[in-house]
Amino acid sequence: DPVNFPPPVEAVHFLILLILQIMAALLGAQFGEMRRRLRARKRELEGALDRIQELANRDSLTGLYNRRYAQELIDHHVHLKDRNHRPLAMALIDLDHFKRVNDEHGHAMGDRVLQAFAQQARQVTRDADIVARWGGDEFLIMVMADAVRTREIAERLEERVRETDFAEILGLDGPVSVTVSCGSAQYADGDSLDDLIAKADKAMYAAKGTLPTDCP
């Protein structure tokens, strides 16, 4: 209808519409790229937060859980135990006369002994077990099983320590004596976290009063 819709005017309208469509397509592509970048940045931030949280929960020297986070995990499992009635037990393990290692070979060598021991502790436990550096030369292992299973882990760990040539690990010529004392305790109904730790701690010191490698 050239009278009501003059071709020159319609050509201008068509050109304007074409330009708007191109601009809309370009803006849509830019918005899509912005959303993609925001999603990627969000994933990066989430990954960074996860890494920060993981570092905050780990002992910087051994890579095991630190005491604060281990206490949170144990407290959580103690509350679960009250509901599901699954067995729960822990072992406290102490490196005997560790100060002597530091005094005779230096703190750097002592740190390497702790790292080697931490690696051995991870090797004799399962992924579901809680393995933590409890403080200094003291370590904690908690398992969702009875005390028999905990003692088996402690005995395997003690054997692994006894068979390890720490002098070779440290690159030293003379012998390096490393032994452990361990005490295990099983959770009983009504026990608090402090009660369970106190029982394991008492058993560990009882082991120290007999032979360094006894695991009562």
Side-chain angles (χ1 to χ4, degrees):
D1 188 357
V3 175
N4 293 318
F5 303 99
V9 175
E10 292 305 310
V12 172
H13 291 170
F14 177 78
L15 182 60
I16 293 173
L17 179 61
L18 182 62
I19 293 172
L20 290 174
Q21 287 179 331
I22 293 173
M23 292 177 63
L26 292 174
L27 287 173
Q30 289 180 351
F31 287 142
E33 179 65 16
M34 288 175 62
R35 286 194 295 270
R36 186 191 67 78
R37 290 180 180 178
L38 286 173
R39 285 195 295 268
R41 184 62 59 84
K42 181 182 178 181
R43 287 193 296 269
E44 290 175 359
L45 289 174
E46 289 174 347
L49 287 173
D50 289 341
R51 289 191 293 273
I52 291 172
Q53 185 63 48
E54 181 70 11
L55 290 172
N57 295 337
R58 296 281 180 177
D59 173 60
S60 59
L61 177 64
T62 63
L64 301 178
Y65 290 135
N66 58 33
R67 181 168 183 150
R68 176 194 58 78
Y69 187 60
Q71 285 179 311
E72 293 179 9
L73 290 176
I74 296 169
D75 192 51
H76 171 71
H77 285 294
V78 166
H79 283 90
L80 286 180
K81 168 69 176 66
D82 292 333
R83 294 201 299 267
N84 57 31
H85 303 292
R86 293 178 58 188
L88 193 68
M90 72 162 53
L92 282 175
I93 304 165
D94 185 73
L95 275 66
D96 300 315
H97 312 296
F98 184 71
K99 184 177 182 299
R100 185 185 304 164
V101 176
N102 284 331
D103 292 342
E104 293 179 358
H105 306 289
H107 288 276
M109 292 298 182
D111 288 347
R112 290 173 63 181
V113 169
L114 293 175
Q115 290 169 337
F117 177 80
Q119 183 177 3
Q120 292 170 336
R122 284 193 293 262
Q123 290 171 351
V124 301
T125 53
R126 302 170 299 185
D127 292 340
D129 299 332
I130 299 171
V131 185
R133 186 182 182 191
W134 200 238
D137 57 351
E138 193 170 285
F139 295 81
L140 177 144
I141 297 175
M142 186 168 195
V143 298
M144 274 52 78
D146 57 24
V148 173
R149 159 75 178 162
T150 310
R151 284 195 295 270
E152 290 174 353
I153 293 175
E155 288 168 359
R156 287 203 305 270
L157 182 56
E158 187 273 336
E159 183 179 1
R160 183 74 63 90
V161 171
R162 187 174 61 247
E163 294 175 349
T164 298
D165 186 351
F166 283 94
E168 181 179 353
I169 293 176
L170 301 179
L172 299 174
D173 295 330
V176 178
S177 176
V178 178
T179 59
V180 297
S181 296
C182 51
S184 60
Q186 184 166 344
Y187 176 85
D189 291 338
D191 278 350
S192 66
L193 173 59
D194 291 338
D195 293 333
L196 185 58
I197 293 173
K199 288 194 293 185
D201 194 56
K202 183 178 180 180
M204 183 187 70
Y205 277 100
K208 281 183 173 296
T210 54
L211 292 176
T213 55
D214 278 355
C215 296

